[in-house]
Amino acid sequence: MTTEQKAAPAATPPQAAAPEPAHRTTRPPAPGTAGHVTRLTVALGATALLLTGCGQLDGPERLSADCAVVVDGSGSGADSENGFRAKEKLKATVPGFLADQKCRYVSYAPITAASTASSCQVPRMDLDPDADKRSDRESLWKQTRVLAQAGADKMLDCARERQPGSDVLGGLERAAKVPRDGDGTYHVLVISDFDQADPDFRLSKFELETPAQRNTAVDALVAVRGVPELPDTTVHRVGFAMRGGRTTPERVEQMGQFWQQILEKEVKVGVDDGYGA
């Protein structure tokens, strides 16, 4: 045997290949690993989507709007043929208004001879409180809207008893100062004939036939009452120019032009007469 043959290593016999397992088991990633976190995140996301979908199907969408009811306690709103029947219009309009506008928060303001200084107070109401856990929200709303109607009646009774008069712009000023916690447009229902009559300004004393005459009246009212700040607001009028049927068609048209100038150009609110006279 040569020296080279002695130094060569012995040939290693080939090893048999390991047999393939009959069934391969995949173990889940251990908690704390990147794979485990990723799968957990996906699972939670899917669960959240499922719960969201169920929430939408289980009941109606929650109420969200801020609203106010402003009521005229002047003699022109008497519940007789000589008035525009404020209480009757209040009861006929408030429930539908609250439902249509999806009002969650309802505030109240009086129209008196001195609306901003009036002592009439009715607490603001939450018609869809979070503390009430019942799943049938619509039955809850029916109950809270009844309470809201009672609050409007109470405000009207107070406005009639204390300093009866018709400071309409002052009533809107009171509505402008209440808190806003809801979403979207602020809806203000005003039950009034809009015949502004207070110690400092009486609309009946002004001629409104021409643009110049209306400008004079607008300037006079703004000078004594100022302009309430009501951004993103719609004023819903009920009873406009209906003083017991004693207002002529010509005067109704002139009052319409006067208040359009006040509300849309000066206060910069939307006006809606959709709830009728």
Side-chain angles (χ1 to χ4, degrees), residues 106-274:
V106 183
S107 301
Y108 303 92
I111 294 176
T112 66
S115 301
T116 55
S118 173
S119 59
C120 293
Q121 298 283 345
V122 173
R124 183 168 177 259
M125 289 189 60
D126 182 349
L127 304 187
D128 194 8
D130 294 329
D132 195 305
K133 301 299 183 182
R134 75 184 77 180
S135 58
D136 183 4
R137 306 303 290 185
E138 290 184 340
S139 66
L140 168 66
W141 300 342
K142 289 180 181 178
Q143 295 175 19
T144 54
R145 284 167 184 159
V146 170
L147 296 176
Q149 174 74 60
D153 290 338
K154 182 178 179 181
M155 179 58 80
L156 176 59
D157 291 341
C158 182
R160 284 177 166 177
E161 292 171 0
R162 304 179 190 180
Q163 293 183 308
S166 195
D167 177 13
V168 181
L169 206 57
L172 290 175
E173 179 69 35
R174 281 280 290 263
K177 292 181 177 179
V178 302
R180 291 202 203 182
D181 296 317
D183 301 324
T185 301
Y186 182 31
H187 294 279
V188 181
L189 178 68
V190 183
I191 309 291
S192 174
D193 63 353
F194 279 76
D195 190 9
Q196 180 86 18
D198 63 76
D200 299 315
F201 181 96
R202 297 188 69 85
L203 186 58
S204 60
K205 293 183 177 180
F206 288 84
E207 296 294 333
L208 303 175
E209 185 175 355
T210 67
Q213 291 170 335
R214 289 193 293 273
N215 287 339
T216 298
V218 167
D219 292 343
L221 178 55
V222 171
V224 296
R225 284 286 164 263
V227 177
E229 295 184 7
L230 285 164
D232 303 320
T233 298
T234 296
V235 171
H236 303 264
R237 301 186 300 193
V238 175
F240 182 80
M242 283 189 63
R243 191 174 181 182
R246 291 181 291 168
T247 305
T248 65
E250 293 78 16
R251 185 66 176 180
V252 171
E253 182 179 354
Q254 293 166 13
M255 286 181 63
Q257 293 170 332
F258 168 81
W259 280 106
Q260 181 182 20
Q261 191 166 338
I262 287 284
L263 295 175
E264 296 183 359
K265 296 182 180 180
E266 298 291 337
V267 186
K268 295 181 173 57
V269 297
V271 177
D272 186 343
D273 293 324

Side-chain angles (χ1 to χ4, degrees), residues 49-70:
L49 288 174
L50 181 60
L51 290 175
T52 301
C54 290
Q56 292 173 344
L57 294 175
D58 284 346
E61 183 181 355
R62 295 290 298 275
L63 302 178
S64 60
D66 272 307
C67 300
V69 178
V70 182

